[in-house]
Amino acid sequence: MKTDSIELGLKENWKQFTLLVIVNAFVGGMVGLERSILPEIAEKEFGIAATSAILSFIVVFGIVKAISNYYAGALANRFGRKNLLVLGWIFAIPIPFILMYAESWNWVIAANVLLGINQGLAWSSTVVMKIDLVGERQRGFAMGLNEFAGYLAVGVVAYLTGWIADVYGLRPYPFYLGIGLMILGLLFSIFLIKDTHGHALKEGKSSEMSLLKNIFWDTTWKDKNLGSVTQAGLINNLNDGMAWGLFPILLATRGFTLEQIGIVVAVYPAVWGIGQLFTGRMADKFCKKDMLFFGMLLQAVVLIALVWANSMWIFVALMSLLGWGTAMVYPTFLATIAQNTHPRDRAKSIGIFRLWRDLGYSVGAILTGVISDLISIEVAVFLVGVLTLFSSAVIYVRMKCGEGTSVRLLSLIRQSY
C-alpha cells in the first residue's frame, strides 16, 4: 500500500475523525438502551428475583464483547478496520426488536450476545482507527474524544429510556431509540467511513518502538506498563458491570422512582463521557502512571462511600465523582497501550487489553450477584471498592512514567502544600 500521500495528525484528518466520533456515539447509545431499565424488566415482566439471575445478561455481554474485542484486534490488519466496523453494525440490526418483543429472559440474553459482538467489533474499530489517524501526537486527546462520545451517549440514552419507561411503560417505546441508532450507525459506517490501515503503515515506517516478543503475554502481564494497564482495565469494568446491574436495584430498594433511577444511573456515564474531553488532554501532558493511580484511587473511595449513601443528591454527587475517576483512567488506558507498542502490534495489543478489560463485566456481574444474593448489595459494593483500591496500589508499585517531558501529578500536589 502506498503511504506517501497520507498525513498523520488530528488537524490533518479532522473530517474522518469527527465522523468516527459520531459513529462511536451511536455505538455507546446501543448500550445505554439497557442501562437503566433492564433489571426492572427482569423483575416486573419475567418475575426474576435473584440478583445473580438478573445480572446474567451482563455476564453474557461481557464474555462475548471481550472475545469480539480480541478478534477485532487480531483481524484488523488482515480484513480492514472499516469492514469490522460495518460487520459490528450488521450484528446490531436485530437487537432493539428482540428487546421490544422478548417473550422470555432467554431472548434478552440472546440480544446481549449480539450486543457484545456489536460493541466489541464496532467500538474496537473506532478506537484503532482514531489512533491510526492521529499518529504519535494527541493520542490521549483522541481517546478522550472517542470515549467522551461513546459514554456520553450511554448516559443520555440511559436517561431517555428511564424517562420514556416512566411515562409510557417499560416496553416497547424505550427501544425505538435503538432502531434509530442502529440505522444511523450502519449507514455512516458503510458510506462515510474510510479505512485507516494505511495510516498505521505510515507510522510504522518511522517508529522506534520494538516489536513485542509475545503480544498476548506482554500485554496481559509481563510488560510492567502494559500489564498494569490491563489489570486496572479489568477492575475498572468490574466496577462498571456492578454499577450497570446493581445500582438500579439498590436505588429501587431505597424507594427511588424509575425517572430518579434514570437520572442517578445516567450521571455516572455522562460525567465519565464529558470528563474525558479534559482528561484525554491531561493524559498527553501528565504522567500516565499518575493519571491511572489517582483515577483508580478515587473510584475506590467513592465505591466504599456509596455503601452509606442515603439520599438522591448524595448518590448524584458520588456518581459524579465515580464518573470523574473513570474519566481519568479510560483514555489513559488506550493512550498508554498505544505509546508502549509498535504500530504493527498496536491493534492486536489493544484487542488483548480490551479482552481482559471487558471480561471485567462478567467477573463483576458474577461476583457481585452472588455476594448480593448471599449477603447484601452493600457488601458487594464495598468489596468492589476494596478490589479497586488494590488495583491502584499495583499501578503505584509496578508502573513507570516513561515520558521525559511529562508532568508528575504527585509533584504538583506536593508543591501545593
Side-chain angles (χ1 to χ4, degrees), residues 96-149:
F97 301 101
I98 295 174
L99 293 174
M100 280 192 286
Y101 302 113
E103 296 181 356
S104 72
W105 190 245
N106 289 333
W107 286 41
V108 176
I109 299 298
N112 275 270
V113 170
L114 297 175
L115 183 64
I117 298 172
N118 160 252
Q119 296 292 303
L121 296 180
W123 201 307
S124 292
S125 297
T126 62
V127 164
V128 173
M129 293 171 87
K130 288 188 183 71
I131 290 175
D132 289 343
L133 291 174
V134 301
E136 294 183 3
R137 295 175 293 151
Q138 298 180 299
R139 283 180 183 140
F141 183 50
M143 290 302 92
L145 288 171
N146 184 77
E147 305 301 290
F148 154 75

Side-chain angles (χ1 to χ4, degrees), residues 305-322:
L306 275 169
V307 174
W308 291 277
N310 56 13
S311 75
M312 180 174 175
W313 296 114
I314 292 175
F315 270 107
V316 168
L318 289 174
M319 295 295 271
S320 298
L321 289 173
L322 186 63

Side-chain angles (χ1 to χ4, degrees), residues 98-357:
I98 295 174
L99 293 174
M100 280 192 286
Y101 302 113
E103 296 181 356
S104 72
W105 190 245
N106 289 333
W107 286 41
V108 176
I109 299 298
N112 275 270
V113 170
L114 297 175
L115 183 64
I117 298 172
N118 160 252
Q119 296 292 303
L121 296 180
W123 201 307
S124 292
S125 297
T126 62
V127 164
V128 173
M129 293 171 87
K130 288 188 183 71
I131 290 175
D132 289 343
L133 291 174
V134 301
E136 294 183 3
R137 295 175 293 151
Q138 298 180 299
R139 283 180 183 140
F141 183 50
M143 290 302 92
L145 288 171
N146 184 77
E147 305 301 290
F148 154 75
Y151 285 97
L152 179 63
V154 172
V156 170
V157 175
Y159 168 74
L160 289 175
T161 54
W163 176 78
I164 293 170
D166 198 47
V167 176
Y168 299 104
L170 289 169
R171 293 196 296 169
Y173 298 104
F175 299 112
Y176 288 163
L177 290 172
I179 298 174
L181 291 167
M182 173 267 295
I183 292 173
L184 289 171
L186 182 60
L187 293 178
F188 268 58
S189 299
I190 292 172
F191 296 109
L192 299 178
I193 299 300
K194 299 177 183 178
D195 203 273
T196 61
H197 189 208
H199 292 74
L201 291 176
K202 171 128 186 181
E203 186 187 350
K205 291 179 179 179
S206 59
S207 176
E208 297 179 358
M209 182 65 62
S210 300
L211 293 170
L212 296 172
K213 293 180 180 179
N214 187 313
I215 300 177
F216 185 87
W217 290 115
D218 285 337
T219 304
T220 299
W221 183 250
K222 283 181 67 177
D223 184 280
K224 289 185 177 181
N225 280 355
L226 295 176
S228 297
V229 170
T230 298
Q231 66 82 28
L234 188 149
I235 297 298
N236 184 92
N237 277 26
L238 186 152
N239 296 347
D240 193 35
M242 177 200 67
W244 185 355
L246 286 192
F247 285 173
I249 300 172
L250 176 64
L251 293 166
T253 61
R254 298 190 180 182
F256 287 67
T257 66
L258 271 176
E259 184 177 4
Q260 289 174 321
I261 292 171
I263 292 171
V264 174
V265 171
V267 164
Y268 162 50
V271 173
W272 175 356
I274 295 170
Q276 289 176 106
L277 289 176
F278 305 96
T279 59
R281 284 190 178 275
M282 290 170 65
D284 289 324
K285 180 178 181 180
F286 293 106
C287 166
K288 292 178 175 59
K289 170 182 175 176
D290 291 351
M291 291 285 292
L292 295 174
F293 169 69
F294 282 111
M296 297 301 288
L297 182 63
L298 178 59
Q299 289 181 52
V301 171
V302 169
L303 288 168
I304 292 170
L306 275 169
V307 174
W308 291 277
N310 56 13
S311 75
M312 180 174 175
W313 296 114
I314 292 175
F315 270 107
V316 168
L318 289 174
M319 295 295 271
S320 298
L321 289 173
L322 186 63
W324 179 257
T326 310
M328 288 187 70
V329 301
Y330 236 68
T332 312
F333 285 151
L334 295 165
T336 306
I337 296 287
Q339 184 181 57
N340 287 272
T341 52
H342 188 278
R344 195 189 307 171
D345 290 338
R346 189 170 299 145
K348 190 168 185 179
S349 186
I350 288 174
I352 293 163
F353 160 72
R354 287 169 62 84
L355 163 72
W356 289 113
R357 191 195 68 185

Side-chain angles (χ1 to χ4, degrees), residues 1-14:
M1 178 182 291
K2 293 183 179 180
T3 60
D4 295 341
S5 62
I6 292 175
E7 292 185 280
L8 302 178
L10 184 56
K11 181 179 179 181
E12 292 79 358
N13 297 283
W14 70 269

